[in-house]
Amino acid sequence: MNLNPLLQALDLQEDAARALADDLRTQIDILQSRLREAELLLEYLAITRTTITGLADRIPAQTVDPAGTLELPEHPDYPRILAVFNDTTGPLRARDICQALDFELLPKHVERTRAKMKRLVTIGILTEAVPGTFNKKQ
């Protein structure tokens, strides 16, 4: 009996199985890499959720006084910022407010003022139609 044809057929099957196993190992490596990325993202999101919920009690609630107007956050700059808006008709930038309030035009002062103006947008007192440009809500 001649075993050569049988051994050749067996070699072909072994080569095909080896190629399939190599392809599956490659797919497993790719999937494991994607799984590590997804798990890392989940870890970052969990950290973000913990941070945000930890800070939630520090954000003052939006309150309304008996007259129905929104109360300003407790900081002396908020009424001063609104006074500048009351004296103008057009939109203002944080830099304009700093100049009107005689703040030095340093980046830290401009950014703090911009943050306060964005806070006023959040509580519904100002609007920001164009990023960085604020108007008093009508």
Coordinates of all heavy atoms in Angstrom, one line a residue, residues 1 5 11 14 18-20 25 27 35 43 51 54 61 64-65 68-69 73 78 89-90 98 100 107:
M1 N 0.8 -1.2 0.0 CA 0.0 0.0 0.0 C 0.9 1.2 0.0 O 1.9 1.4 0.7 CB -0.9 0.0 1.2 CG -1.7 1.2 1.4 SD -2.8 0.8 2.7 CE -3.5 2.3 3.0
P5 N 0.0 9.4 -1.0 CA -1.1 10.3 -1.2 C -1.8 10.6 0.1 O -2.3 11.7 0.3 CB -2.0 9.5 -2.2 CG -1.2 8.5 -2.8 CD 0.0 8.2 -1.8
D11 N -0.8 16.4 5.2 CA 0.0 17.6 5.2 C -0.8 18.8 4.8 O -0.7 19.9 5.4 CB 1.2 17.5 4.2 CG 2.3 16.6 4.8 OD1 2.3 16.3 6.0 OD2 3.1 16.1 4.0
E14 N -3.0 19.7 7.7 CA -2.2 20.3 8.8 C -1.9 21.8 8.5 O -2.0 22.6 9.3 CB -0.9 19.5 9.0 CG -1.1 18.3 9.8 CD 0.2 17.5 10.0 OE1 1.2 17.8 9.3 OE2 0.2 16.6 10.9
R18 N -3.0 24.9 10.6 CA -2.0 25.8 11.1 C -2.3 27.3 10.7 O -2.2 28.2 11.5 CB -0.6 25.4 10.6 CG 0.5 26.1 11.3 CD 1.9 25.4 11.0 NE 2.0 24.1 11.6 CZ 2.0 23.0 10.9 NH1 2.0 23.0 9.6 NH2 2.1 21.8 11.6
A19 N -2.7 27.5 9.4 CA -3.0 28.8 9.0 C -4.2 29.4 9.7 O -4.3 30.5 10.1 CB -3.3 28.8 7.4
L20 N -5.2 28.5 9.9 CA -6.4 28.9 10.6 C -6.1 29.3 12.1 O -6.5 30.3 12.6 CB -7.5 27.8 10.6 CG -8.8 28.1 11.4 CD1 -9.5 29.3 10.9 CD2 -9.7 26.9 11.4
R25 N -5.2 33.4 16.2 CA -4.3 34.0 17.2 C -4.2 35.5 16.9 O -4.2 36.3 17.9 CB -2.9 33.4 17.2 CG -2.9 32.1 17.9 CD -1.4 31.6 18.1 NE -1.4 30.1 18.3 CZ -1.3 29.2 17.4 NH1 -1.1 29.5 16.1 NH2 -1.4 27.9 17.7
Q27 N -6.4 37.4 15.4 CA -7.7 38.0 15.8 C -7.8 38.2 17.3 O -8.3 39.2 17.8 CB -8.8 37.2 15.2 CG -9.0 37.3 13.7 CD -10.1 36.4 13.2 OE1 -11.2 36.3 13.9 NE2 -10.0 35.9 12.0
L35 N -10.0 45.1 23.9 CA -10.6 44.9 25.2 C -9.8 45.7 26.2 O -10.5 46.4 27.1 CB -10.6 43.4 25.6 CG -11.1 43.1 27.0 CD1 -12.5 43.5 27.1 CD2 -10.9 41.6 27.2
E43 N -12.5 52.5 33.0 CA -11.8 53.0 34.3 C -11.8 54.5 34.4 O -12.1 55.1 35.4 CB -10.4 52.4 34.3 CG -9.7 52.7 35.6 CD -8.3 52.0 35.6 OE1 -8.1 50.9 35.0 OE2 -7.4 52.6 36.3
T51 N -15.3 61.7 40.5 CA -14.9 63.1 40.7 C -16.1 64.1 40.6 O -16.2 64.9 41.4 CB -13.8 63.5 39.6 OG1 -12.7 62.6 39.7 CG2 -13.4 64.9 39.8
G54 N -18.4 63.7 43.5 CA -17.7 64.3 44.7 C -17.8 65.8 44.7 O -17.8 66.5 45.7
A61 N -26.9 75.4 44.2 CA -28.1 75.2 43.4 C -28.6 76.6 42.9 O -28.4 77.6 43.5 CB -29.2 74.6 44.3
V64 N -34.2 80.9 43.3 CA -35.0 82.0 42.9 C -35.5 82.7 44.1 O -36.0 82.1 45.1 CB -36.2 81.6 42.0 CG1 -37.1 82.7 41.6 CG2 -35.7 80.8 40.8
D65 N -35.4 84.1 44.2 CA -35.9 84.8 45.3 C -37.4 85.0 45.2 O -38.0 84.7 44.2 CB -35.2 86.1 45.5 CG -35.5 87.1 44.5 OD1 -36.4 86.9 43.7 OD2 -34.8 88.2 44.4
G68 N -39.1 86.3 42.1 CA -39.0 85.6 40.9 C -37.7 85.8 40.1 O -37.6 85.3 39.0
T69 N -36.8 86.5 40.6 CA -35.5 86.8 39.9 C -34.5 85.8 40.4 O -34.5 85.3 41.6 CB -35.0 88.2 40.1 OG1 -34.8 88.4 41.5 CG2 -36.0 89.2 39.6
P73 N -24.6 84.2 42.4 CA -23.7 83.4 43.3 C -23.1 84.4 44.3 O -22.9 85.6 44.0 CB -22.7 82.9 42.3 CG -23.4 82.8 41.0 CD -24.3 84.0 41.0
Y78 N -20.0 89.4 40.8 CA -21.2 89.2 40.0 C -22.0 90.4 39.8 O -22.4 90.8 38.7 CB -22.0 88.0 40.5 CG -21.3 86.7 40.3 CD1 -20.6 86.0 41.2 CD2 -21.4 86.1 39.0 CE1 -19.9 84.8 41.0 CE2 -20.8 84.9 38.7 CZ -20.0 84.2 39.7 OH -19.4 83.1 39.5
T89 N -25.2 98.3 25.7 CA -26.3 97.7 24.9 C -25.8 96.5 24.1 O -26.6 95.7 23.7 CB -27.0 98.7 23.9 OG1 -26.0 99.3 23.1 CG2 -27.7 99.8 24.7
G90 N -24.6 96.5 23.8 CA -24.0 95.4 22.9 C -23.4 94.3 23.7 O -23.4 94.3 24.9
C98 N -13.2 93.1 32.2 CA -12.0 93.4 33.0 C -11.6 94.8 32.9 O -11.3 95.5 33.9 CB -10.9 92.5 32.6 SG -11.0 90.8 33.1
A100 N -13.6 97.4 32.2 CA -14.6 98.2 32.8 C -14.5 98.1 34.4 O -14.8 99.1 35.1 CB -16.0 97.7 32.4
P107 N -4.0 87.2 31.8 CA -4.8 86.0 31.5 C -5.6 85.5 32.6 O -6.7 85.1 32.5 CB -3.8 85.0 30.9 CG -2.6 85.9 30.4 CD -2.6 87.1 31.3

